[in-house]
Amino acid sequence: MAKVIVVTSGKGGVGKTTSTAALGAALAQRNEKTVVVDFDVGLRNLDLVMGAERRVVYDLVNVIQGDAKLPQALIRDKRLDTLFLLPASQTRDKDSLTPEGVEKVMAELKKHFDWIICDSPAGIERGATLAMRHADIAVIVTNPEVSSVRDSDRIIGLLDAKTERAERGERVEKHLLLTRYDQARAERGDMLKVDDVLEILSIPLVGIVPESTDVLKASNLGAPVTLADSKSAPALAYLDAARRIAGETVPMTIPGEKRGFLGKLFGRRAA
Amino acid sequence: MSIFRFFSKQTSAPTARERLQVLLAHERASVGHSDLVAKLREEILAVIAKHVQVDGDKVTVKMDRGENVSTLEVDIEIPLNAVRAA
């Protein structure tokens, strides 16, 4: 049975696209057929982060408008044959996404895939509400920073009101993915701690992705973080998060926490 | 960073946390229907405008959303000759 995941945040620049690509690759590595769908019409970037920008022929809007069949628009990943990309249109405007069109595409994707991961645009307008519309699971990407936490709270409200599940009286399974976390700064009291964010947003935690240069490196290369270097700290965080989304129980850690001698001496409990 | 800061241990994260808690308490309460304080502000101004001709620049509205109590302060300069004919 296909599961639809929306990766969302409200605020821009917190790591939705990075997380979509990384989680998509991680789920596909489990040998489960996965498609990542870019809903950011007009500002697509998932193709670039996935390293498929030169292979885009048709896009989501083409499929919705009947210019192309779904299999023509799907791009198979060169590294993982269980991973596919459905790009967004770069030239059309947001209004070319229609609720009926999206519903049709989602229904067809559900027949062929185990996981459908929708990369939401920032904001709370049409693209974002359509990306979350059919979700069974929501991954709310949040930075430990006030404006990101506030926008996540708003998005959580929308997930409880504007999704198909909410309208049927069911709940969307919500998961917090904390990204760009800096353990040292949090310990110094200069960054919101994991527990602070969890207490404020009160949704379960699915992963803590540390701030890392490996994320930029991966996007430079056009590879999902989990494929660029599967031993890097953010990759380990995303791999664990994907296992949790798939229903496994994995103890929560902050990967790649490097402590010097002094850090070990004065070490504190993990958050 | 000064040495005083080191001793006083003033950190910014607790402030961020408190600000968020107060803000979100208000925003959550106002989802779906409009914010009560904002509504009061609009209606109070409408009532005043009915009786007095007020210059927009002479109206100062201050709102402070607190954890338990919010305050709304409307300060209007009313010139002697501004009273509208009934």
Side-chain angles (χ1 to χ4, degrees):
Chain A
M1 184 64 194
K3 286 255 186 185
V4 181
I5 303 175
V6 61
V7 178
T8 182
S9 69
K11 190 175 182 300
V14 296
K16 284 181 297 296
T17 301
T18 301
S19 300
T20 301
L23 292 174
L27 288 169
Q29 277 175 297
R30 300 166 54 90
N31 238 347
E32 289 161 32
K33 220 174 153 200
T34 305
V35 60
V36 289
V37 186
D38 194 346
F39 273 80
D40 205 346
V41 173
L43 288 171
R44 75 167 172 226
N45 274 318
L46 188 56
D47 55 333
L48 205 50
V49 171
M50 299 280 294
E53 71 277 9
R54 293 194 295 178
R55 296 197 286 143
V56 175
V57 183
Y58 293 111
D59 56 55
L60 176 59
V61 173
N62 290 139
V63 178
I64 286 177
Q65 298 187 337
D67 305 331
K69 295 253 179 283
L70 183 60
Q72 292 178 294
L74 288 172
I75 303 170
R76 188 192 285 262
D77 189 88
K78 283 193 165 161
R79 296 145 296 210
L80 285 172
D81 57 9
T82 45
L83 181 59
F84 291 79
L85 163 71
L86 181 55
S89 167
Q90 181 71 337
T91 49
R92 311 297 182 89
D93 64 71
K94 285 181 294 188
D95 298 336
S96 42
L97 281 185
T98 59
E100 303 75 30
V102 170
E103 188 170 353
K104 251 175 73 185
V105 172
M106 296 306 279
E108 208 179 331
L109 286 173
K110 280 187 189 175
K111 287 186 222 153
H112 302 286
F113 289 94
D114 299 309
W115 297 102
I116 301 158
I117 310 184
C118 305
D119 184 19
S120 172
I124 52 173
E125 284 169 71
R126 180 183 283 208
T129 48
L130 283 177
M132 70 169 66
R133 179 103 195 112
H134 302 275
D136 301 303
I137 300 171
V139 173
I140 296 127
V141 184
T142 307
N143 292 166
E145 179 270 328
V146 287
S147 45
S148 174
V149 175
R150 177 199 213 172
D151 290 359
S152 292
D153 191 72
R154 185 77 200 280
I155 286 291
I156 291 169
L158 290 179
L159 286 165
D160 288 334
K162 297 269 169 103
T163 51
E164 240 183 8
R165 278 198 168 222
E167 284 168 8
R168 286 201 305 259
E170 297 167 27
R171 295 188 75 80
V172 175
E173 197 183 300
K174 294 186 285 288
H175 297 282
L176 179 74
L177 183 66
L178 197 61
T179 54
R180 309 200 69 167
Y181 190 68
D182 187 327
Q183 174 81 348
R185 290 175 76 185
E187 277 177 27
R188 257 185 272 137
D190 286 329
M191 181 181 267
L192 288 167
K193 289 198 173 82
V194 177
D195 290 343
D196 292 336
V197 182
L198 285 178
E199 192 193 324
I200 291 166
L201 293 178
S202 51
I203 56 169
L205 182 65
V206 78
I208 306 163
V209 182
E211 171 84 71
S212 165
T213 53
D214 290 302
V215 174
L216 180 59
K217 256 187 239 167
S219 89
N220 286 342
L221 298 173
V225 174
T226 38
L227 292 182
D229 176 2
S230 60
K231 296 281 183 289
S232 71
L236 294 173
Y238 279 119
L239 288 166
D240 277 359
R243 289 172 62 196
R244 292 184 193 106
I245 289 170
E248 289 181 38
T249 311
V250 184
M252 187 66 68
T253 54
I254 309 172
E257 195 188 317
K258 287 183 198 107
R259 272 182 194 281
F261 172 69
L262 284 176
K264 274 183 192 140
L265 262 185
F266 300 107
R268 60 181 281 291
R269 65 181 181 89
Chain B
M1 191 195 302
S2 73
I3 190 152
F4 298 108
R5 202 188 137 188
F6 181 78
F7 284 118
S8 64
K9 278 254 176 191
Q10 278 206 343
T11 54
S12 58
T15 314
R17 182 192 147 100
E18 271 175 46
R19 289 176 57 218
L20 273 170
Q21 277 169 333
V22 172
L23 173 72
L24 293 182
H26 283 279
E27 288 191 347
R28 284 169 188 161
S30 65
V31 162
H33 48 90
S34 71
D35 186 351
L36 176 66
V37 184
K39 203 169 184 175
L40 285 175
R41 182 194 61 195
E42 271 167 40
E43 291 186 9
I44 289 170
L45 289 179
V47 167
I48 290 165
K50 218 160 73 177
H51 299 284
V52 190
Q53 196 173 2
V54 195
D55 184 347
D57 300 340
K58 300 286 161 65
V59 180
T60 320
V61 182
K62 285 185 189 163
M63 280 194 273
D64 189 4
R65 295 184 168 89
E67 196 167 350
N68 298 312
V69 179
S70 300
T71 57
L72 175 67
E73 194 182 312
V74 187
D75 191 334
I76 308 167
E77 272 183 41
I78 306 172
L80 266 182
N81 59 1
V83 180
R84 281 188 205 270

